[in-house]
Amino acid sequence: MAPRSRPHPRELRRAVAPLLAVWLVMAGVLAPLRGQSPPHAVPARGAIVYTRTTQAFELGGPPSKLRAEWLVPTPPSEAGPEWRCFAAAQNQLPAGFEQPGFDDSAWTLGKGTFSPEPGKRPGHRTLWNTAELAVRTRIDLGQRKPRAILFQIDHDDGVQVWLNGKKLVDDRGHGTGRQFVAFGEGGEAWQRGENLLAARCTNIGGWQHFDLGMALFQTLPPGIRTADDLQKALREDREAVERVRRELFGPLRAPALLLAGDLDAAGTAVRIAPGDLRDLGHWLAMNVANGPTGGSIQGDLGRLFRLGDLQLKGRAAAVDANGWQVLDVTVKSTPEPAPRDDGKRFVDRFVKPHVWYGFDGRLLVRRRLETRGNQVLVAEFTTELQGRILRGRDWKEHAATLTQRENWQFREFRDNQDAAFRAAVQKALDRGTEYLKGQVQNLRHADLVADAEGADRSYHSGRLALALLALVKGGVPKDDPVVQKGYAELRQRKLIDSYSLGNALQALEALYAPPNEFADLKQGLIDRPRKRTPSPEDRVLMQKWTEQLLANVDTRVDPAFVLRFNYTRGERFDNSVNQYGLLGLYAAFQCGLEVPATTFEAAANHLLGCQSPGGSKLDLDLVDYRTFARRQADPELRSTGSKLTARAAGWSYEGPKSDGELTPTWGSMTCAGITGLSICQAALTEFGLGKRARLIADISKARSDGFGWLAQHLTVRCHPGAIERQQIWYYYFLYGLERAALLSGIALIQDRDWYFEGAMVLTTVQNDDGSWPVELVRFGDDRAMDDTAMAILFLKQSTLPVLTGK
């Protein structure tokens, strides 16, 4: 697809007069007026929703020594052969159908994939819903006898394949992309010219599908002497590509949305670079700063997940008479990441080790623009991204070849938290809690079963507590049998680490929360959560857990003055588990257990000392829920929010410095820092200010600076901050954002509705079964149950505001 020739300026002005009037740009003066380009027609604090269709996402290997000639292509395509097909009940296929002389003229015609749902899944073209399927086709295998034949088959369940009546494959298993090699026997079955290829697939229950690809090897590299040798070589090629896929592309991907919060101050471009190479086309298509006359494109995308810095160079053609515009750019990795606002030492230590791949390719975007008043809408666009994924020194090694083609169509505008939004949230909660309840119902589930005797962690019990917290907060009745059984199990578990203890304390506290408390806090009817009254038995248990929790501290500091949690007692801490420790402590405090004021003072001292000392100044605008509600009811209302000067200062996983160098800031850890300080401030306020006025003031300032970091870096398209976490711990970040904002009663951060943005993502990407798609696999565990629980807790707005005023 090539850019169209540029029309004469007079023709251009006549053809795109509406666009020109809006852009206020004439040919030849684009550059000085580029900042005056019209903004996107996205509703205030709202979204534009698109329908995204992926025509191709193919990850192939580098040039291989194995040169396969695909005669029956895979994955299935319209270019594939047409099969004669016969579907039948068990053992009802006609005898001898695999033989060349069999008459199949009465059979129906079809193309792969064969399944019960043709048309509902990509590539599924022909109906098959019986116990058995037979297919036949004739193909020309040429004049040279092949050294080997390769079959790549998607089958569920068993499959058999014949060539000219000779059986070459007989497998009773099932799977996708399975490969079978015919070495000597393939050559025996082959004949010059036309050959009959026949196959049979059976279904014994559950899902069913069938598709078959076939390739010939006319030559083989040295060392390939047997079918096992060829299978090993094929497997190594396949595993090399799958490694790239596994390390760059997870099941979770940002949905087809343009959020008002995505945009820069001018409203003409997405402000923060994508964390996923698959979203590069969206990022470019949404940049409307060039105007209708086009011009050069230069983009600098810094520190993409595992890819480092990418540079885009090319041109935007002029908009044609129908509003179409072509953007054509090259995409190339820089030799190494730029320092940006950091020093070389920081880049060497905290950026380069997480840049695993480079990219060299081309991105073509063709988009149609429409004017909406004094704004512009990207009504539809197509993207084509092709290139090589590279690795090794100076990106000289070819790791994989990427081809991605997509079509995006405008579907609807979403006006912030409207009725459709609220309905979508409730539907997602209903489906999510139903899925999670189904998981918790099986307490022998591998992720929930009690940890082994003698284990130094109790993560499975912590996961059970998190799931129960999500169910109760998500609206499942407390007397539900599954919930009751889960709590009974939790009460008798041996809890060890701070993560598990913190979750368990929160889960028990949730049982005793009064109804309508959240609404009363948001409306200002009460100024703090009400105290809970647990049963005597639960109070004793919570006291025991609290004492265990307070023992799990970093022993390198005196917890009377600086308290920071470790998983268990020892010489370390991190701000992630520290957050769970403080959440558990506050849950105990809310239930009337004695937690001294000095404990919260010491915890605040840690977080104040652990905050990053860096960060630029900014004007910060935070709006609380009551002010936001009044503004929505009366848009003309003049009101004052919390506008103040802050600096953008967040938190890292551990200390703010390592060997004298500032450490990377994470979005999730910044939220954890704000959360911890909010808890400390709320608790200390209940004890009374007294001599703590200075400490409370320091806490308030540090919280504001944390919100300042979020104001600069907030995105819900990935986990913001450090390069190594952009596609990891995403749900954990969203749940942390929910806690940080709600504890302070914050509805808007820099006029951005953080809840709307996150909920739009979660309601859009939810799986059909009610779970949420997993991120890139971490530590060999996909954590699907944890991610689903955290998504529910975000959507429900489960955290109670504690710093609200009345």
Side-chain angles (χ1 to χ4, degrees), residues 659-738:
D659 295 332
E661 184 65 54
L662 288 176
T663 49
T665 303
W666 300 6
S668 57
M669 293 301 94
T670 296
C671 293
I674 297 171
T675 292
L677 288 176
S678 300
I679 287 171
C680 293
Q681 184 171 348
L684 292 173
T685 300
E686 290 198 33
F687 283 109
L689 292 180
K691 297 180 181 180
R692 303 185 185 95
R694 177 62 182 272
L695 177 61
I696 296 294
D698 290 343
I699 291 174
S700 293
K701 181 180 183 303
R703 286 172 46 241
S704 296
D705 291 346
F707 278 115
W709 189 93
L710 288 175
Q712 284 194 348
H713 299 276
L714 179 60
T715 177
V716 294
R717 299 190 72 84
C718 63
H719 181 180
I723 184 175
E724 73 268 25
R725 288 296 186 269
Q726 289 173 5
Q727 290 191 52
I728 299 175
W729 303 110
Y730 174 76
Y731 299 98
Y732 178 53
F733 159 68
L734 282 187
Y735 180 33
L737 175 63
E738 182 264 359

Side-chain angles (χ1 to χ4, degrees), residues 66-67 69 141 144-150 181-188 190 215-227 229-230:
L66 299 172
R67 302 187 180 279
E69 179 186 357
L141 299 187
R144 290 181 55 200
K145 183 177 181 180
R147 294 284 305 279
I149 300 175
L150 170 67
V181 170
F183 216 74
E185 63 271 30
E188 295 172 8
W190 167 90
L216 304 183
F217 291 95
Q218 300 291 358
T219 61
L220 292 172
I224 305 290
R225 298 185 178 87
T226 67
D229 293 339
L230 181 54

Side-chain angles (χ1 to χ4, degrees), residues 440 463-473 482-483 486-487 490 507:
V440 174
R463 181 176 289 118
L464 172 61
L466 179 67
L468 292 170
L469 178 66
L471 289 176
V472 171
K473 292 279 192 176
V482 173
V483 172
Y487 270 97
L490 180 64

Side-chain angles (χ1 to χ4, degrees), residues 75-86:
S77 68
E78 290 296 341
E82 196 164 43
W83 298 88
R84 289 282 183 179
C85 46
F86 186 91

Side-chain angles (χ1 to χ4, degrees), residues 720-784:
I723 184 175
E724 73 268 25
R725 288 296 186 269
Q726 289 173 5
Q727 290 191 52
I728 299 175
W729 303 110
Y730 174 76
Y731 299 98
Y732 178 53
F733 159 68
L734 282 187
Y735 180 33
L737 175 63
E738 182 264 359
R739 284 190 298 245
L742 278 176
L743 284 166
S744 296
I746 299 300
L748 304 180
I749 302 172
Q750 224 72 338
D751 202 41
R752 293 178 61 177
D753 186 340
W754 59 267
Y755 176 72
F756 172 81
E757 293 184 22
M760 281 297 293
V761 172
L762 292 178
T763 56
T764 305
V765 303
Q766 189 177 22
N767 293 325
D768 292 341
D769 65 358
S771 67
W772 270 267
V774 297
E775 310 156 348
L776 287 173
V777 175
R778 303 150 301 196
F779 319 124
D781 179 9
D782 65 20
R783 297 171 55 93

